[in-house]
Amino acid sequence: MTAVNKFSMNMMSKSANEGFARAAVSAFVSQLDPTLEEINDIKTAVSEAVTNCIVHAYKEGYGKIYISAEIFDNKSVKITVRDKGCGIENVNKAMEPLFTTVGGERAGLGFAVMQSFMDNVKVRSKIGKGTTVVMEKRISLRYSANAQK
């Protein structure tokens, strides 16, 4: 598998930037001609990953969120969302549905949502160093009448 295109960006961990991150990644992935369902899946997964950074990573203020995406020659995309925040003490526990460290309105479904919309989700984290979420999705092949000629 060879990367044929990639991009990266970083932004402050402000809630106003979540929609921008979602739009930027989906615009980048659009060159693969995904279905509406596939693009919505990617938008939702990116939204959840970025929101986790905003809500959990920087509890004492703001920090940076690093986002990158790579498109591969097999029509798959790998999206990485990383922070340098507080880290996750127990990644396996954090990935359990309904687990949350914040409470209140938070349902604790972020990782479960990412896993349901993407083909593969990996999470690495170190206390005091931050968290990296890597999500992969294969885009379906669609053929138009012109592409078959």
Side-chain angles (χ1 to χ4, degrees):
M1 207 168 47
T2 303
V4 296
N5 201 359
K6 57 177 94 175
F7 94 101
S8 62
M9 65 181 191
N10 64 69
M11 64 186 68
M12 294 300 295
S13 61
K14 294 186 173 196
S15 59
N17 290 333
E18 177 271 328
F20 174 73
R22 182 179 59 227
V25 173
S26 66
F28 179 74
V29 173
S30 69
Q31 64 192 286
L32 289 175
D33 193 27
T35 64
L36 282 175
E37 183 179 355
E38 289 167 333
I39 204 71
N40 285 331
D41 290 353
I42 290 167
K43 283 180 175 181
T44 301
V46 168
S47 179
E48 291 295 333
V50 169
T51 298
N52 276 355
C53 295
I54 293 166
V55 172
H56 300 287
Y58 303 105
K59 296 176 183 174
E60 300 301 319
Y62 299 111
K64 283 189 180 179
I65 300 172
Y66 305 85
I67 301 172
S68 63
E70 292 179 89
I71 290 175
F72 295 93
D73 55 4
N74 69 347
K75 286 197 63 144
S76 66
V77 61
K78 178 171 79 171
I79 302 158
T80 303
V81 178
R82 182 174 60 90
D83 65 67
K84 293 183 179 180
C86 63
I88 300 170
E89 186 174 325
N90 184 333
V91 171
N92 291 332
K93 184 77 174 162
M95 292 183 77
E96 290 178 8
L98 305 179
F99 178 82
T100 183
T101 58
V102 178
E105 295 179 21
R106 299 288 166 192
L109 294 172
F111 288 125
V113 168
M114 288 179 236
Q115 289 173 316
S116 70
F117 288 120
M118 302 298 280
D119 296 328
N120 191 22
V121 176
K122 294 179 185 169
V123 180
R124 296 184 314 271
S125 190
K126 289 188 178 183
I127 297 297
K129 301 285 184 182
T131 301
T132 301
V133 176
V134 179
M135 303 175 286
E136 298 172 337
K137 187 164 186 76
R138 177 99 188 236
I139 303 302
S140 62
L141 293 175
R142 297 191 310 155
Y143 295 100
S144 67
N146 293 332
Q148 293 176 347
K149 290 182 181 179

